Amino acid sequence: QVQLVESGGGSVQAGGSLTLSCAASGYTYSDYCMAWFRQAPGKEREGVAWISPDGNTFYFDSVKGRFTVSKGKTKNSMFLQMNTLKPEDTAMYYCAARRYGCYAGRHLYGAPDFDYWGQGTQVTVS
């Protein structure tokens, strides 16, 4: 059974940094696209960062240059380093996984295309 567990959320002042972690189990890690999504109250869930099975990374425009997604050396973990945080980054952050690639053509897969989800971790920037 696939399980994703996020950790690392919290409250931080604007301009600060946080690192989120996602621990994955129950599947062949190397075959899966993994991603971070976020959802603020009253808004749709949006993709933040994606990392493909071969390590290519993709970012939502508003976080480019501030956020970095990476896989752990143990290969069953993923991280999101978030720097220069802004109040608009406040949201529940979710780790997600789907088998195979992160995109089709020029289209990055969105929330409906992901099969597995963690429970989320709250990030609050004031």
Side-chain angles (χ1 to χ4, degrees):
Q1 182 177 358
V2 176
Q3 287 191 324
L4 302 173
V5 180
E6 305 96 334
S7 61
S11 297
V12 65
Q13 290 187 338
S17 298
L18 281 174
T19 300
L20 306 184
S21 300
C22 174
S25 62
Y27 63 93
T28 304
Y29 184 79
S30 60
D31 292 342
Y32 281 69
C33 168
M34 297 189 74
W36 289 98
F37 287 78
R38 67 186 180 188
Q39 188 167 20
K43 295 188 176 181
E44 292 187 355
R45 191 168 296 190
E46 63 183 12
V48 175
W50 297 250
I51 185 163
S52 68
D54 55 1
N56 290 324
T57 58
F58 310 90
Y59 298 93
F60 186 50
D61 283 349
S62 70
V63 307
K64 285 180 180 177
R66 300 189 298 122
F67 290 10
T68 302
V69 60
S70 61
K71 290 181 180 178
K73 292 182 179 180
T74 60
K75 296 187 178 180
N76 63 348
S77 57
M78 177 178 67
F79 304 97
L80 184 68
Q81 174 68 44
M82 305 186 294
N83 297 325
T84 319
L85 283 161
K86 304 176 181 180
E88 51 263 44
D89 295 318
T90 295
M92 185 71 78
Y93 282 71
Y94 298 90
C95 171
R98 70 180 305 278
R99 199 165 184 188
Y100 305 125
C102 291
Y103 56 87
R106 293 186 175 186
H107 169 71
L108 282 165
Y109 288 119
D113 302 306
F114 280 76
D115 303 308
Y116 305 104
W117 293 86
Q119 81 289 351
T121 186
Q122 178 68 37
V123 172
T124 302
V125 185
S126 59

